[in-house]
Amino acid sequence: MSVIDEVLAEFKAKFGDEGDIRSYFAPGRVNLIGEHTDYNGGHVFPCALSMGNYAVARKRDDNIVRWYNMTYPKDGVKEADITKLAPNDNGVWYDYQQGVIWAFEKNGFHVPAGYDMVMLSDMPAGSGLSASASIEEVAAVILRDLFDIDMTMVDCAVMGQYSENEYNGMNCGIMDQFASAMGKKDHAIFLDTATMEYEYVPLNLKDEKIVITNSKVKHALAGSAYNDRRRESEEALADLQTVLDIKTLGDLDEETYLANESVIKNEINRKRAHHAVFENQRTLKAVEALRADDIEAFGKLMNESHISLRDDYEVSCPELDILAAEAWKLPYVVGSRMTGGGFGGCTVSIVKADKADAFKAAITKAYENETGKTPEFYIADAADGARRL
Ligand code: GLA
């Protein structure tokens, strides 16, 4: 049985099979390069994955939602009144769903009633592949479609970010929700987060595969550390603005930054800004390299990105550093770096296609040796974004 058929069967068993029952999907994402740039006015280069959250829903004619998540059966059926939602930072799956309803209402996208829903994820949660953004975007497409709300898919992405910032207390940028909402099969999304202009870049790797390696490490404090990084970057920007006419760190090239970095008073903030500026420039170069079919150059920039995230932005962790360093040793690895917010989660590596199995075996052996943990692997094939099925 396909995943969505399983969800449909569960929906009918829980909530009955009458009425207009609809199916939806929203993917997770992997970011190829451009990390911690999306709240710094920089560029990102993610693609949507073929894994994510599936949902089956039917609208109601009162203000009640009844939700069941097959991924977390112990939570049972969650019931709530959509006119009585209140922000919290619990970060449970239904908080992400509720936050989106709340965000729609706050932004003039009226949600006239509740809905019954069953969902199921086929992706790992808490692994830096944006399972939460995928829950937000599946919620957004459900609302948009069930209640025929006049809005674009970019609006859906923005509502996901708004809800995560204002309802769930996580100051994330727009990358994850944008990738989940706007993904396109066989393409990565080159997004300028300062202007929200974007372009789809074909990912037609002929001889390579994109391999995601899950460290299986989850960092409990990732949320607060993330919000700290954001604040430190903003403080650095404020110092730079005393001498430069810029709106974001993304406005700076390397030379201008280096000529002015001494005005950043705090040394930690200086390291953060250094990363944000150089990572944004690396992203521009990486996209150019990919367009020129220079995958080796792309890989080198990925490696540099990891080092900068490790040393300057300080969002890596020993396990991610081991995964990246072990990958760099392998002659058939083109590039490897941590992906997503960090403090655990996954690396993304570009590997010669015929060596994908050798890669998995080598990394598993080294990682088990050094950490006692067994990594998991996923082959990333860039896929379409959130949609009704
Ligand atoms: C998390 C956030 C994104 C982005 C990345 C780091 O995934 O949700 O907005 O900032 O971290 O690039």
Side-chain angles (χ1 to χ4, degrees), residues 172-205:
C172 65
I174 189 67
M175 171 170 72
D176 306 346
Q177 293 80 8
F178 199 95
S180 180
M182 300 294 293
K184 182 171 168 180
K185 189 172 167 38
D186 298 330
H187 290 73
I189 310 170
F190 181 40
L191 170 68
D192 180 347
T193 64
T195 61
M196 294 289 275
E197 275 167 34
Y198 64 96
E199 229 179 292
Y200 291 112
V201 181
L203 265 185
N204 42 10
L205 302 179

Side-chain angles (χ1 to χ4, degrees), residues 24-38:
Y24 304 89
F25 173 74
R29 65 97 188 90
V30 65
N31 188 24
L32 301 178
I33 194 161
E35 216 68 82
H36 288 276
T37 49
D38 65 346

Side-chain angles (χ1 to χ4, degrees), residues 171-244:
N171 270 331
C172 65
I174 189 67
M175 171 170 72
D176 306 346
Q177 293 80 8
F178 199 95
S180 180
M182 300 294 293
K184 182 171 168 180
K185 189 172 167 38
D186 298 330
H187 290 73
I189 310 170
F190 181 40
L191 170 68
D192 180 347
T193 64
T195 61
M196 294 289 275
E197 275 167 34
Y198 64 96
E199 229 179 292
Y200 291 112
V201 181
L203 265 185
N204 42 10
L205 302 179
K206 288 169 226 93
D207 307 318
E208 295 86 13
K209 280 197 159 82
I210 302 171
V211 185
I212 299 169
T213 307
N214 188 347
S215 71
K216 305 277 221 29
V217 177
K218 294 179 193 182
H219 196 292
L221 294 175
S224 61
Y226 183 95
N227 290 347
D228 289 345
R229 294 300 179 285
R230 186 161 183 164
R231 181 181 41 74
E232 290 156 358
S233 301
E234 280 161 7
E235 287 170 6
L237 173 65
D239 286 346
L240 287 165
Q241 283 171 326
T242 62
V243 294
L244 291 168

Side-chain angles (χ1 to χ4, degrees), residues 23-27 137-138 141 153 180-181 383-389:
S23 302
Y24 304 89
F25 173 74
E137 293 313 310
V138 89
V141 282
M153 286 307 293
S180 180
D384 286 329
R387 60 195 182 272
R388 182 171 166 187
L389 297 174

Side-chain angles (χ1 to χ4, degrees), residues 2 91 151 171 174 207 209 225 254 271 290 326:
S2 71
M151 65 194 300
N171 270 331
I174 189 67
D207 307 318
K209 280 197 159 82
E254 295 99 330
K271 284 166 71 171
L290 189 68
E326 290 299 334

